[in-house]
Amino acid sequence: QLQLVESGGGLVQPGGSLRLSCAASGFTLDWYSIGWFRQAPGKEREGVSCISSTGGITNYADSVKGRFTISRDNAKNTVYLQMNSLKTEDTAVYSCAADIYSSYCENPDYWGQGTQVTVSS
C-alpha cells in the first residue's frame, strides 16, 4: 500500500518552533514533488509549501514566507517542514501530498493522514 505518514505535530506556544516530517512507504519519493497543506476549522484547505523532486524549486504561501522552510532527503524518503516563529493563526491540521507530474504540487496523487499543529498560550 502506498502511504505518506506525517509526524511532529503537537502543542506549541506562540513564537515557538516545530518540525514536521513526511515519510513515504510503498514507493520512493524521488520522482515526486511534495507539498504541505493545512486546513483550520471552518476554513478551506490551503497550500503552505511545495518542493520539487530534486529540491531545486521551492514555493511558499505569503503567510509563511520567512518563517517556514521546506526540505527533503530523498535517501531517507522523507520531506520536512521547519516551522519557526509560530503564530496562533498557524493552528491547523497539516498534511503532506505527493505530485508525480507538477513541480508546483498542483494535482497531488497521494495524501497523508494529517497531523495536528496547535499554537496556543
Side-chain angles (χ1 to χ4, degrees):
Q1 185 174 358
L2 307 180
Q3 289 186 317
L4 294 170
V5 179
E6 303 95 336
S7 62
L11 176 65
V12 65
Q13 293 184 328
S17 297
L18 214 56
R19 189 177 79 157
L20 305 183
S21 297
C22 174
S25 63
F27 68 107
T28 56
L29 286 181
D30 55 313
W31 283 9
Y32 293 82
S33 295
I34 305 297
W36 285 97
F37 300 80
R38 67 185 182 186
Q39 187 168 24
K43 292 190 174 183
E44 295 183 345
R45 184 181 65 197
E46 64 173 333
V48 176
S49 185
C50 178
I51 187 167
S52 63
S53 60
T54 64
I57 302 172
T58 58
N59 291 278
Y60 299 92
D62 288 341
S63 59
V64 306
K65 285 182 179 178
R67 299 189 297 119
F68 290 11
T69 303
I70 191 169
S71 62
R72 67 189 299 156
D73 187 341
N74 285 349
K76 295 182 178 180
N77 221 24
T78 302
V79 174
Y80 306 96
L81 184 68
Q82 178 68 45
M83 305 185 294
N84 298 326
S85 302
L86 283 163
K87 305 174 180 179
T88 56
E89 304 96 284
D90 296 317
T91 296
V93 174
Y94 285 71
S95 300
C96 64
D99 192 320
I100 197 169
Y101 297 113
S102 174
S103 296
Y104 303 94
C105 305
E106 295 177 307
N107 300 105
D109 301 282
Y110 302 101
W111 290 83
Q113 84 288 353
T115 185
Q116 177 71 46
V117 172
T118 302
V119 185
S120 177
S121 59

